[in-house]
Amino acid sequence: MSLPTTIDATSCCVPPITSSLTAEEAERIARVFKALGDPTRVRLLSLIAAGTGGEACICDLTEPVGLSQGTVSHHMKLLTEAGLVTREQRGKWAYFALNDGALDAAADALRSV
């Protein structure tokens, strides 16, 4: 005895996929999420956001995270390359600010349109 088929076996239950990220877009967004995958980098972003004028000098970021200036510079380089922060050189010090909209853009790219 066989049961009657109520679903057409040639079609799927959901609408077909009509668009997706390009390989380049996926690479860019993956860099953002990879940069955010480290708790120290998330803390650095939080410190910058809380800084006066939404920016912070590299010299002000080392003590709160308890790391050397070289290690913090490495983390900041990754955040800059991911497009999450901007960097401005002022004399011998580097100042960082959040890149407006970078986090929203990454999240929006994964949401359905």
Side-chain angles (χ1 to χ4, degrees), residues 15-104:
I17 297 172
T18 57
S19 67
S20 67
L21 297 172
T22 66
E24 294 80 20
E25 290 169 328
E27 289 278 336
R28 180 182 50 79
I29 293 166
R31 274 194 306 276
V32 170
F33 287 117
K34 185 174 181 181
L36 292 172
D38 184 283
T40 298
R41 290 192 282 272
V42 173
R43 287 187 66 206
L44 290 167
L45 287 174
S46 175
L47 288 166
I48 293 166
T52 304
E55 67 177 15
C57 176
I58 191 79
C59 63
D60 296 324
L61 296 173
T62 56
E63 186 180 328
V65 294
L67 298 171
S68 70
Q69 190 270 333
T71 301
V72 172
S73 290
H74 171 73
H75 284 297
M76 294 311 302
K77 178 182 176 187
L78 296 175
L79 290 170
T80 303
E81 289 173 351
L84 292 167
V85 298
T86 59
R87 181 183 187 278
E88 181 183 343
Q89 193 71 33
R90 298 181 194 164
K92 70 176 189 172
W93 297 109
Y95 284 78
F96 296 91
L98 295 183
N99 187 355
D100 291 336
L103 292 173
D104 289 335

